[in-house]
Amino acid sequence: MPSPLPVKNGVGPTRLRVPTSGPWATIAEYVVARFDHLDADDLFRRFDAGEIVGADGRPIGRGTTLSAHRFVWYYRDLPVEEPVPFDEEILHVDDDLVVIDKPHFLPTTPGGRYLRESALVRLRTRLDNPDLTPIHRLDRATAGLVMFSARPATRGAYQSLFEKRRVVKVYEAVSALPPGWDPDAPALAGRAVPVVYRSHIEARRGELRVVVDDSREPNSETLIEVRGAGSSASGRAVLHTILRPHTGRMHQLRVHLAALGIGILGDSWYPELLPEAPDDHALPLQLLARELEFTDPLSGLPRRFVTRRTLDEAPASGR
């Protein structure tokens, strides 16, 4: 559904669904009840100021009846954000496609306490292009390659590449070296490497972590290869893996490596959910989106992008 409001300072408007019935006589009353943690007088003021609009772009007054609109749009009040002290690098720009190298800790899109401090808002401002939209996403904790559509006319062509699994994705990760590691007969959880790991992963609304259900048919698959093992620059004994996901489930790589006994260094969610804590810039999640390769749907030519970033805990010595 197209928004009646344009992107403003790199941030798009928010859309809110309005119920068709309920104990509220007006849309304004519903909004005040829906956001009861906000000041009611200020919300009513926003209606009076014409800051809440319907699908036609016209302001909705505080007396507008509940059933008059199914959706309303508005701009969120932008909070004061602590800057993410790492910069994205633009690797490619053309009329249709933008590819960046995203740092750890920077979200791909606005969400939660991050609005302006997201790759999308930074790029819209930096490139002066409100039409930029991510074609796929990386977790905030993951670094590496992210592709953005530069204009709506060709967006679907690139999105379909991911939907039809026509993009070859390669990641790399660093984990603590598992006990009893034998470089001459490498194995993970008793399986000789390379390992093809499959499981059923389900993302449930309201839950931070995904749920793994071993009783159901697998819906996720990752090929895991070992690149090396040894000591990192910080002195940790580590295992460096290359990951080739066949599917793109939420947290798939983190879950699969944790299941094999090699949870990724810096991961506070898998295999165990640790108490929330400030970002540890000294040990970001050691997961990197390393390569993207596909046939361009517009030109028919092969394309391949490779990150310029590295993982700090990759082995500096050993084999």
Side-chain angles (χ1 to χ4, degrees):
M1 182 180 297
S3 169
L5 296 175
V7 171
K8 183 179 179 181
N9 297 323
V11 181
T14 296
R15 185 184 73 179
L16 176 68
R17 179 189 291 271
V18 179
T20 56
S21 62
W24 316 278
T26 66
I27 291 175
E29 289 179 9
Y30 167 71
V31 170
V32 168
R34 171 71 172 76
F35 299 106
D36 58 1
H37 60 290
L38 300 178
D39 182 71
D41 290 338
D42 186 59
L43 291 174
F44 281 124
R45 177 201 61 76
R46 296 196 66 181
F47 278 93
D48 294 340
E51 296 178 10
I52 315 295
V53 306
D56 57 4
R58 295 181 180 181
I60 295 172
R62 72 160 71 190
T64 303
T65 58
L66 186 69
S67 59
H69 296 269
R70 292 298 308 279
F71 296 94
V72 298
W73 282 260
Y74 60 92
Y75 293 110
R76 288 182 59 178
D77 289 331
L78 300 184
V80 176
E81 296 180 57
E82 183 176 350
V84 176
F86 306 102
D87 296 325
E88 71 285 354
E89 180 183 1
I90 296 176
L91 300 181
H92 174 86
V93 178
D94 62 32
D95 291 340
D96 302 290
L97 192 66
V98 176
V99 181
I100 69 164
D101 223 348
K102 187 185 80 67
H104 294 288
F105 306 110
L106 182 70
T108 301
T109 57
R113 67 182 187 272
Y114 298 98
L115 291 174
R116 286 167 295 200
E117 288 300 292
S118 63
L120 176 60
V121 174
R122 283 186 178 184
L123 285 173
R124 281 176 171 173
T125 303
R126 183 174 173 183
L127 299 176
D128 192 24
N129 182 357
D131 289 329
L132 277 172
T133 300
I135 300 171
H136 66 119
R137 289 169 173 78
L138 291 182
D139 293 341
R140 188 175 77 87
T142 305
L145 302 176
V146 187
M147 289 169 47
F148 292 79
S149 163
R151 62 189 184 108
T154 57
R155 184 168 302 149
Y158 288 102
Q159 289 175 329
S160 68
L161 292 174
F162 286 87
E163 293 168 359
K164 297 176 181 178
R165 298 178 183 172
R166 292 178 178 172
V167 179
V168 176
K169 296 175 286 186
V170 180
Y171 291 73
E172 56 181 283
V174 177
S175 310
L177 193 69
W181 176 257
D182 182 355
D184 296 318
L188 298 172
R191 306 185 188 191
V193 295
V195 173
V196 176
Y197 192 85
R198 302 179 180 91
S199 66
H200 187 95
I201 295 175
E202 180 181 350
R204 295 179 180 173
R205 188 171 185 177
E207 296 191 21
L208 290 176
R209 306 200 304 168
V210 299
V211 176
V212 178
D213 188 347
D214 292 329
S215 68
R216 300 177 65 182
E217 189 73 18
N219 62 1
S220 63
E221 179 180 309
T222 307
L223 171 63
I224 299 143
E225 303 168 320
V226 171
R227 186 176 187 182
S231 297
S232 68
S234 67
R236 291 182 172 91
V238 295
L239 185 69
H240 193 183
T241 52
I242 299 297
L243 315 173
R244 304 180 190 273
H246 180 64
T247 55
R249 299 291 174 181
M250 179 178 174
H251 298 168
Q252 174 178 321
L253 302 179
R254 297 162 71 171
V255 168
H256 283 182
L257 291 194
L260 289 169
I262 52 169
I264 301 172
L265 284 176
D267 195 344
S268 60
W269 286 20
Y270 303 97
E272 299 295 332
L273 181 61
L274 302 180
E276 186 175 357
D279 290 336
D280 182 0
H281 294 164
L283 183 60
L285 179 71
Q286 295 296 285
L287 179 61
L288 178 65
R290 171 178 163 175
E291 299 175 33
L292 291 171
E293 188 172 359
F294 56 92
T295 299
D296 191 282
L298 304 182
S299 68
L301 298 176
R303 280 190 159 180
R304 180 172 179 262
F305 299 101
V306 180
T307 183
R308 295 176 184 172
R309 300 182 185 274
T310 58
L311 295 173
D312 295 339
E313 294 298 319
S317 62
R319 66 186 182 97

